[in-house]
Amino acid sequence: MEPADAKKELRQRMLAVRAEIPEASRTEQSLAASRMAELEVLSPLRSQRGGKLNVFCYVSFRDEPNTLAFMDRCQAQGDRLLVPKIGAQRSLTLHEVTGMADLVPGTWGILEPASHTVIWPPERYPEIDVIVVPGLAFDLKGGRIGFGGGYYDRLIDELARCSGGLNQVVLGALALEELILPEAIPMESHDFRLDLLFTAKGTIYMKESSDKLGKLGIRARHDAF
């Protein structure tokens, strides 16, 4: 089966799996994952980078892992928070927000930055310290499958071009236990890999990112999930 066909099949299967996760479990896992992210990754990275971070995070929708607790923790520590906004022709812009008052329903009813919020231009992408992306499923080698729109593939590609690579940014996701697969996710040439997964049981670090995370002051462990 071609990777694109395999991804389409996997996407449908994981949509069904995620829909079956009880809301209480999703909320509990999301809160715990946010706590572990702060303890194991964000706090050490702040120490290494002078106290505050530039964090990009999507706003969760429906049965996605809840990102609001993660966002609240970042802002409570004084981090600058960047949130995506979908535009015409599948474009994605980043906006700086200061709280829930800066968010309004947008495309598909997803909360997104209001018109008064400041756009973070591509030339400032190299200043981003952490990017948290959505996904339907993840594997233990950094593989991820999204919703098929390609928004984040294009964002990460643009970030890499502006920054001369991805060595200074941590790429992660809030991952519910049910969405982490033991088998490899089919990947195509335009797909990017994550450095880590934030889970309720602790952070899962990708071995391929060990050197990068070590240089960023993050002690990566590779315990079995």
Side-chain angles (χ1 to χ4, degrees), residues 50-105:
K52 296 182 181 180
L53 301 175
N54 296 322
V55 179
F56 169 86
C57 184
Y58 68 101
V59 181
S60 53
F61 184 61
R62 291 181 179 169
D63 56 3
E64 290 181 318
N66 191 316
T67 60
L68 295 182
F70 178 91
M71 296 164 70
D72 286 344
R73 283 181 175 272
C74 289
Q75 290 194 304
Q77 296 297 323
D79 296 336
R80 179 183 283 114
L81 187 61
L82 309 173
V83 172
K85 183 174 184 176
I86 295 174
Q89 299 180 334
R90 292 191 174 187
S91 63
L92 194 71
T93 53
L94 279 56
H95 296 246
E96 184 176 345
V97 301
T98 59
M100 291 297 294
D102 285 338
L103 301 175
V104 297

Side-chain angles (χ1 to χ4, degrees), residues 6 31 39 48 55 80 82-83 94 107 113 122 173 183 185 194 225:
L31 290 173
L39 177 66
Q48 202 261 3
V55 179
R80 179 183 283 114
L82 309 173
V83 172
L94 279 56
T107 305
E183 71 270 19
I185 288 175
L194 301 172
F225 179 71

Side-chain angles (χ1 to χ4, degrees), residues 20-217:
E20 291 297 319
I21 302 173
E23 182 179 357
S25 174
R26 187 172 66 249
T27 299
E28 181 180 354
Q29 288 193 60
S30 299
L31 290 173
S34 297
R35 289 194 297 268
M36 298 305 291
E38 173 62 32
L39 177 66
E40 298 181 343
V41 176
L42 300 179
S43 182
L45 192 58
R46 283 192 204 95
S47 296
Q48 202 261 3
R49 294 197 169 177
K52 296 182 181 180
L53 301 175
N54 296 322
V55 179
F56 169 86
C57 184
Y58 68 101
V59 181
S60 53
F61 184 61
R62 291 181 179 169
D63 56 3
E64 290 181 318
N66 191 316
T67 60
L68 295 182
F70 178 91
M71 296 164 70
D72 286 344
R73 283 181 175 272
C74 289
Q75 290 194 304
Q77 296 297 323
D79 296 336
R80 179 183 283 114
L81 187 61
L82 309 173
V83 172
K85 183 174 184 176
I86 295 174
Q89 299 180 334
R90 292 191 174 187
S91 63
L92 194 71
T93 53
L94 279 56
H95 296 246
E96 184 176 345
V97 301
T98 59
M100 291 297 294
D102 285 338
L103 301 175
V104 297
T107 305
W108 305 305
I110 301 172
L111 289 177
E112 64 180 26
S115 58
H116 70 269
T117 55
V118 177
I119 294 178
W120 191 270
E123 56 265 27
R124 295 196 66 184
Y125 285 4
E127 299 175 39
I128 301 174
D129 300 293
V130 179
I131 293 180
V132 179
V133 300
L136 279 168
F138 310 93
D139 65 27
L140 299 177
K141 291 189 176 181
R144 160 195 173 269
I145 186 167
F147 299 89
Y151 294 101
Y152 290 90
D153 294 314
R154 292 189 291 274
L155 171 66
I156 300 304
D157 182 64
E158 188 165 22
L159 170 64
R161 291 200 308 271
C162 293
S163 306
L166 300 172
N167 292 326
Q168 296 301 311
V169 63
V170 176
L171 302 178
L174 283 173
L176 303 178
E177 179 178 355
E178 295 88 343
L179 305 183
I180 301 174
L181 304 177
E183 71 270 19
I185 288 175
M187 302 286 283
E188 298 179 88
S189 59
H190 60 267
D191 293 325
F192 63 91
R193 290 188 181 273
L194 301 172
D195 299 313
L196 46 80
L197 299 175
F198 299 123
T199 82
K201 295 181 179 178
T203 306
I204 298 176
Y205 305 91
M206 307 307 158
K207 291 183 179 179
E208 293 78 4
S209 298
S210 294
D211 290 345
K212 168 183 171 178
L213 294 174
K215 290 176 182 177
L216 296 178

